[in-house]
Amino acid sequence: MIRHWGDVSNDTSAREKYRRTLAERNDATGAFIELDVDRRPPTRTGGALSGVPVAVKDNIAVSGFRLTCGSRMLESYRCPYDATAVELLYESGAFVPGKTALDEFGMGSATDSSELGRCVNPWNREMTAGGSSGGSAAAVAAGMVPAALGSDTGGSIRQPAAFCGVYGLKPTYGAISRYGLVAYASSLDTIGIIADTPERLAALFGAIAAEDPRDQTSSARPEGDGETERPAGQAVAGGVSTEASSQTVDNSTATADPAAGGAQPAGRAPTPADLRIGILSGDLGLSGGVAAVYRETIDRLSAAGATTVEITLPCLEYAAAVYYTIATAEASANLARFDGVRYGRRPDYAENPEELTRLARSAGLGDEVKLRILLGTFVLRSGFHDQYYARAQRLRTRITNELAAVFEQCDTVLAPVFPTTAFPLGESGPDGLARKQADRFTSVANLAGIPALSLPAGLADNLPVGLQLVGPHWSEPRLISLAQQLHREQAPPKPPDFPWEWS
Amino acid sequence: MIDAELRKTAELARLNLSDEEHERLRGEVENVLSYFDSMAAAEAAQGGATAYAVDDNPSEAGGNGAAAAQARSVSQLRPDRIRTESIAETLLESAGDVEDRFIAIPNVL
């Protein structure tokens, strides 16, 4: 019998069953670093997410739980406060059953580097769940929670969502407060959502997207857009149903965007027939399986009446290099705070404060984090700054302009998320540089600050293939609505080993 | 990257690298930096730098046309309001060892 997710917190026996399911499935997947259904039970009923469990990536603050970021540096750090996004989830009636596994500080593509918890793909446990929000994606795919918070700096929500066959939303930069998200690369970081259906994405986005005085870079939807002031907790699925402002796309679709939430249509949602979908032409370097699903999905959209427009994005050639230059530079500054004094791990003995910091960092940070700090320090160094960091900043402007021009030709771009399906864990997988170069399709949205939604589009060799819908600033309702229509046509399959008990 | 550059960079980043780490990371850093060098070919012929995804001064930053308009549309100033909000007490409570309102740490001299 399939029951509603809200029921898992109904009574002692429902809770007991949920607790057991979570424990079994966590043994199988490693999705959670810390798991405790009873630690923060729901305190509010009647909200849109009443009684629904939502997992939270362990680089986002939830008081009562640890906040490790998957790092030995913060292994014992107990979090004293809630992120704004988490506060808003509580106000909607949701509860947090635990914190999910990640690559250390969000730096990675496989959730395989942290010593605090490694995670596998529920579809095939020899494969990676993706990263860095691998635990959040695996938890949703394995039917442990219907939704989870993650963070996306260069693809860290969309890539694991694609690998695990679930939905992932990286919102417009600033749409969801970053207060309580441990900073990796501040100009690129976003909190986002992983969920089992587009409706659930819409419900969570409606609950947590809000301007927040505690995050200066957060912003409300532009004025005239109907959602400048959203009372906290007004978490209805239709909460995202207001008009998507698309300054550059001034055509009939711009007035036909409402009702992405679907539950309470305030007007007609855009159908594929209303939309011009941008399709990437040329050799994209995709594996055979991913290329086939990309073509099939284009055909599905065409069959539904969408106009497809062939576009090119020359910036895909260099986007990942720009992304990693900027991300590592910002990371080197953001992670300077882990000095062994203010947070976390500290050596037993040091000769002086400088040595204390060196010993703490050298012992507390993992290989990939050290690599990125070194890279970021190097690209900012006097004498190398112009060659690397300044150049990347200029190219970032070009990428932003290139995308703005693309959104004059089409309303939404359908693009791959990653060139392959989930890759094998361990030595036989791609090496560090190959993984970084493969972030080219996802990192452009972070560099331009625009939203992108990863959706499960098919299978290749029994592994999910994800594709992403990318739109201009604040076009989340349109992206969700389109994903919904594809979902209604053909609901994506679930991993065979993890039948759903709740829906 | 020559050894001296990596040592200097590690020094600036306040990381001690063991000989083994130094060897391994040197290879990886060299790999990624040569990948970064591919940006030279793509160097922007025009336009300034973008430091933030949502820029307060898109025209100064070299953005123009639709991109700048878009950036302006999401960039807003908030009104000045008096707020009182502090989690200082909560943070102090989570410190390991506190004397009055100071956090006590081991002697490092």
Side-chain angles (χ1 to χ4, degrees), chain A residues 367 370 393-395 397 474, chain B residues 16 21 24 42-43 50 74:
Chain A
D367 281 352
K370 284 180 185 168
Q393 297 282 62
R394 287 192 295 273
L395 287 170
T397 301
W474 304 108
Chain B
N16 297 335
E21 269 182 319
R24 185 158 36 87
E43 171 67 288
T50 298
V74 293

Side-chain angles (χ1 to χ4, degrees), chain A residues 330-367:
Chain A
E330 293 184 18
S332 73
N334 275 326
L335 270 66
R337 80 191 59 185
F338 299 109
D339 56 8
V341 177
R342 283 172 288 184
Y343 296 95
R345 173 181 278 249
R346 182 161 58 205
D348 292 332
Y349 177 80
E351 286 287 344
N352 55 54
E354 177 66 21
E355 188 190 275
L356 176 109
T357 294
R358 286 173 183 284
L359 291 173
R361 288 165 69 79
S362 303
L365 300 174
D367 281 352

Side-chain angles (χ1 to χ4, degrees), chain A residues 214 222 318 320 351 358 361-362 367 370 374 381 388 391 393-395 397-398 401 408 437 472-474, chain B residues 1 5 9 11 13-14 16 21 24 28 35 37 42-45 48-50 66-67 70 73-74 85 109:
Chain A
R214 293 176 294 189
Y318 55 85
E351 286 287 344
R358 286 173 183 284
R361 288 165 69 79
S362 303
D367 281 352
K370 284 180 185 168
L374 288 170
R381 271 181 62 185
Y388 295 105
R391 178 174 279 154
Q393 297 282 62
R394 287 192 295 273
L395 287 170
T397 301
R398 184 192 269 192
N401 291 343
E408 283 167 7
Q437 289 170 326
H473 291 114
W474 304 108
Chain B
M1 184 195 262
E5 292 293 2
T9 305
E11 177 82 19
R14 301 208 281 182
N16 297 335
E21 269 182 319
R24 185 158 36 87
E28 289 195 57
Y35 174 53
D37 285 333
E43 171 67 288
T50 298
Q70 211 169 40
S73 76
V74 293
E85 183 183 90
L109 285 174

Side-chain angles (χ1 to χ4, degrees), chain A residues 368-421:
Chain A
E368 182 67 21
V369 176
K370 284 180 185 168
L371 171 66
R372 295 197 191 190
I373 289 175
L374 288 170
L375 285 166
T377 306
F378 184 76
V379 301
L380 289 173
R381 271 181 62 185
S382 151
F384 301 102
H385 176 277
D386 284 350
Q387 186 184 346
Y388 295 105
Y389 185 68
R391 178 174 279 154
Q393 297 282 62
R394 287 192 295 273
L395 287 170
R396 182 176 188 175
T397 301
R398 184 192 269 192
I399 291 170
T400 305
N401 291 343
E402 198 171 299
L403 282 157
V406 159
F407 290 124
E408 283 167 7
Q409 300 167 49
C410 63
D411 304 304
T412 299
V413 173
L414 178 74
V417 171
F418 202 79
T420 64
T421 51

